[in-house]
């Protein structure tokens, strides 16, 4: 007795191809989901690093601003002490600076 032919043109062959295509679709779908999850994880990691960097930069900026304010306050205090100690000298220096400024920027 001769068996049924099984090949690409038969129903059995078509069923095998359809089953393979269904498996391939599932594999591709699973791969797409895995890639999507990996991309999402990497994006979350990058976002967390960016926020951490932003916070670090903000903290450093605030610290440098406080240091600059402290330095300016110290300088102002020293200048005030100098003016109190030698008021005539301070007035003469201010007058000389004003004269030089006026000479430089006169049109």
């Amino acid at each position: 007795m001769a068996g049924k032919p099984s090949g690409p043109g038969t129903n059995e062959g078509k069923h095998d191809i359809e089953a393979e295509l269904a498996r391939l679709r599932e594999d591709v779908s699973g791969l797409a989901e895995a890639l999507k999850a990996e991309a999402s994880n990497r994006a979350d990691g990058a976002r967390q690093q960016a926020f951490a960097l932003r916070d670090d930069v903000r903290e450093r900026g605030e610290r440098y601003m406080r240091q600059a304010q402290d330095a300016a306050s110290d300088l102002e205090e020293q200048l005030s002490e100098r003016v109190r100690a030698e008021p005539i000298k301070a007035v003469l220096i201010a007058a000389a600076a004003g004269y030089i400024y006026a000479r430089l920027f006169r049109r």
Side-chain angles (χ1 to χ4, degrees), residues 1 4 15 19-20 23 31 36 38 48 50 52 58 62 64 66-68 73-74 91 94-95 106:
M1 195 171 176
K4 290 184 184 176
H15 180 65
E20 277 296 314
R23 280 193 294 262
L31 182 59
K36 183 178 175 183
E38 180 64 24
Q48 289 174 354
R58 181 184 299 148
E62 290 172 354
Y64 292 145
R66 282 192 301 272
Q67 288 175 351
S73 178
D74 291 344
V91 169
R106 187 187 312 177

Side-chain angles (χ1 to χ4, degrees), residues 69-87:
Q69 288 173 340
D70 291 344
S73 178
D74 291 344
L75 183 63
E76 180 183 8
E77 188 176 312
Q78 289 175 1
L79 184 61
S80 293
E81 288 175 13
R82 286 280 190 112
V83 169
R84 283 189 199 107
E86 302 177 63

Side-chain angles (χ1 to χ4, degrees), residues 27-40:
D27 289 346
V28 168
S29 177
L31 182 59
E33 289 297 321
L35 288 173
K36 183 178 175 183
E38 180 64 24
S40 178

Side-chain angles (χ1 to χ4, degrees), residues 6-21:
S6 68
T10 66
N11 281 341
E12 188 177 315
K14 287 182 184 179
H15 180 65
D16 289 345
I17 291 173
E18 288 174 358
E20 277 296 314
L21 283 175

Side-chain angles (χ1 to χ4, degrees), residues 82 86-94:
R82 286 280 190 112
E86 302 177 63
I88 294 174
K89 188 176 179 182
V91 169
L92 290 176
I93 291 173

